Amino acid sequence: MCSYDGEILVDKSPVSGRERPWKTHKANSSLLAEAFSRIGKHNKAEKVRHCGSSLKFNVCPEGHEKRLAWANFCRVRLCPMCAWRRSLVIAHQIKAVAHEAVKRQPMRWLFLTLTIRNCPGDVLGDTISHLMKSWDRLTRRKAFTDVVVGWFRSLEITRNLLEDTYHPHFHVLLGVKPSYFIKQKGYLTTRDWVSLWRECLRVDYDPVCHVRVVRNKRNIEREMKILEQKGIFLSPDGRLVEADLAGSAVAELSKYATKSEDYIVYNHYKQKQVRDKVKLVPVVSSGINWDKTDEVVATLDMALSRRRLLAYGGLLKEVWNELQAQGKVQDVEDDHVDLVHVDDDSICRCSVCGSNMLEELYSWIPDVQNYVKKEKA
């Protein structure tokens, strides 16, 4: 391996001091590019291979701030680098839309998860199509329209490693009327949601549904940790979404459809206790199962092709459309979405000391498996 004397990229959250996951996502995007190449998707392979290969930052000379100013993102749907950046855009859009919506109409927030039974890879596309049609049926039901003012829906697909099946499901933010919690005013229990979703799915079993109130009482420190585990970083005051939206709900909603851990498959896994759950984590030294990785990448790429994975409805859609017309939000699924300036982070002065920002350019060095600062000539 070659040695490089350049400075390694250090980009930390100003709140927690945690390292932002540039290195991890770039390394995984390189593995994805190899898989695309092996399955004959050479155009996508080339795009993903060069994604995030150069990063330009605006840096405070006093060390207060470091902000991304430019990067060559590929915007390929499965790319882990672009999926991370999209999740940041989604999180800030939810903030903007929710904040504006509650100005117009008082509402409370529910976080709803809707599932379907796991399916094999060869019917994943059909299963997703069925989910989408079922969601459309649900939004037209009287029990739904009587209480829901607006909604945001995102699709996530996870993979069961032991059974080799796929688990597509929806994460939904529901803005409901304040009277919703009066039982005579249309309140739906978890049992009611299960029954309603079963009818809309048109299945002969009770699908798993989770619904919870997004509470007013907030533990900002805990929420920040949850969000930063997803690669989403807050401003120093800890505020992300107003109008009662908790950080844990936003972290779920702003996930993008797939994670690299689901399609980069290793030969061996071990069990690890994570809070109250047992999770399978890869034994990295066992190496990557290239055949299975290629199979999963091909399956996900086909199933997600030309689909809209995110949607707004009701008042939230009206607000989103207006904010888009004003240039305040953008379509995160557009091929030209700006994944650099995810918030109002394009200013050229440090927000702490007012100093003019300096430019720093970093390049991904495969031999180092990290970003190295490029010195000016």
Side-chain angles (χ1 to χ4, degrees):
M1 180 177 291
C2 299
S3 62
Y4 291 82
D5 297 327
E7 179 183 334
I8 297 296
L9 172 64
V10 176
D11 182 25
K12 296 183 177 181
S13 162
V15 179
S16 68
R18 291 184 182 179
E19 191 82 18
R20 288 188 169 102
W22 291 107
K23 174 182 175 180
T24 299
H25 291 314
K26 179 55 186 172
N28 286 335
S29 69
S30 298
L31 295 174
L32 176 64
E34 293 176 20
F36 272 134
S37 182
R38 289 191 298 270
I39 64 176
K41 300 283 185 177
H42 300 296
N43 187 40
K44 287 184 178 179
E46 193 67 12
K47 289 180 178 179
V48 175
R49 182 175 293 111
H50 294 291
C51 181
S53 57
S54 295
L55 306 174
K56 183 192 291 184
F57 291 89
N58 287 334
V59 181
C60 170
E62 302 300 324
H64 295 130
E65 293 180 328
K66 176 179 285 187
R67 301 195 208 101
L68 184 67
W70 177 88
N72 57 327
F73 295 126
C74 69
R75 297 171 182 81
V76 171
R77 180 157 275 175
L78 289 184
C79 173
M81 180 73 81
C82 292
W84 169 50
R85 299 302 297 182
R86 279 194 179 97
S87 72
L88 304 182
V89 177
I90 295 167
H92 289 290
Q93 287 197 4
I94 294 172
K95 167 186 175 179
V97 172
H99 178 55
E100 182 61 31
V102 295
K103 288 182 181 178
R104 305 185 185 188
Q105 183 170 341
M107 66 182 83
R108 296 283 302 278
W109 301 106
L110 298 180
F111 181 66
L112 177 67
T113 302
L114 300 172
T115 75
I116 193 171
R117 279 182 178 169
N118 287 18
C119 65
D122 58 353
V123 296
L124 177 59
D126 291 339
T127 303
I128 294 173
S129 296
H130 178 61
L131 269 177
M132 297 291 187
K133 292 176 182 177
S134 301
W135 170 256
D136 186 60
R137 286 191 284 268
L138 177 62
T139 61
R140 298 172 188 271
R141 296 292 293 269
K142 188 174 186 299
F144 187 95
T145 58
D146 280 352
V147 296
V148 177
V149 178
W151 51 265
F152 169 78
R153 187 218 72 217
S154 64
L155 173 73
E156 184 184 15
I157 303 169
T158 55
R159 183 168 163 268
N160 186 308
L161 294 168
L162 296 178
E163 299 177 2
D164 194 19
T165 57
Y166 296 82
H167 179 54
H169 54 282
F170 288 137
H171 294 299
V172 186
L173 175 69
L174 299 176
V176 298
K177 299 174 182 178
S179 60
Y180 171 81
F181 297 95
I182 302 173
K183 294 193 180 295
Q184 294 80 9
K185 298 289 185 178
Y187 177 79
L188 298 172
T189 64
T190 299
R191 179 67 254 173
D192 294 330
W193 281 110
V194 169
S195 178
L196 195 58
W197 184 233
R198 172 176 173 159
E199 292 174 9
C200 294
L201 272 179
R202 298 176 179 174
V203 294
D204 59 1
Y205 60 88
D206 286 343
V208 175
C209 299
H210 297 291
V211 60
R212 72 173 188 262
V213 180
V214 182
R215 301 288 183 186
N216 295 340
K217 186 177 180 181
R218 307 203 23 209
N219 183 332
I220 296 295
E221 183 177 354
R222 179 174 180 273
E223 289 178 14
M224 284 162 48
K225 290 180 179 179
I226 292 172
L227 286 162
E228 292 186 0
Q229 287 170 1
K230 310 291 184 183
I232 301 169
F233 296 86
L234 305 183
S235 58
D237 62 5
R239 300 189 70 183
L240 179 67
V241 175
E242 299 186 37
D244 306 338
L245 279 186
S248 56
V250 175
E252 292 296 310
L253 290 162
S254 58
K255 285 180 179 178
Y256 210 60
T258 60
K259 300 186 293 293
S260 57
E261 64 191 57
D262 286 313
Y263 56 74
I264 297 175
V265 185
Y266 286 81
N267 286 307
H268 298 292
Y269 289 79
K270 62 181 180 181
Q271 292 186 339
K272 181 180 179 180
Q273 188 74 33
V274 181
R275 291 184 292 277
D276 58 339
K277 296 180 180 179
V278 176
K279 185 178 180 180
L280 288 177
V281 296
V283 179
V284 177
S285 60
S286 69
I288 294 174
N289 184 327
W290 298 113
D291 290 340
K292 178 56 69 174
T293 293
D294 295 351
E295 176 191 316
V296 176
V297 167
T299 297
L300 291 172
D301 184 58
M302 177 67 72
L304 296 177
S305 177
R306 299 182 180 182
R307 290 186 187 274
R308 300 286 301 181
L309 307 182
L310 309 171
Y312 289 88
L315 179 59
L316 299 191
K317 183 177 181 178
E318 293 176 21
V319 170
W320 188 89
N321 285 337
E322 292 177 17
L323 293 178
Q324 185 190 38
Q326 297 167 16
K328 295 180 179 179
V329 299
Q330 54 182 327
D331 182 355
V332 296
E333 298 188 88
D334 186 86
D335 289 339
H336 303 290
V337 60
D338 181 1
L339 298 179
V340 173
H341 306 110
V342 299
D343 194 12
D344 55 349
D345 56 359
S346 59
I347 55 177
C348 57
R349 288 182 178 272
C350 175
S351 63
V352 178
C353 66
S355 299
N356 288 324
M357 304 290 268
L358 304 178
E359 286 187 354
E360 289 184 355
L361 181 64
Y362 292 82
S363 297
W364 176 257
I365 307 298
D367 288 344
V368 181
Q369 283 292 288
N370 214 328
Y371 287 94
V372 177
K373 185 177 179 180
K374 185 176 181 180
E375 300 298 339
K376 295 181 179 181

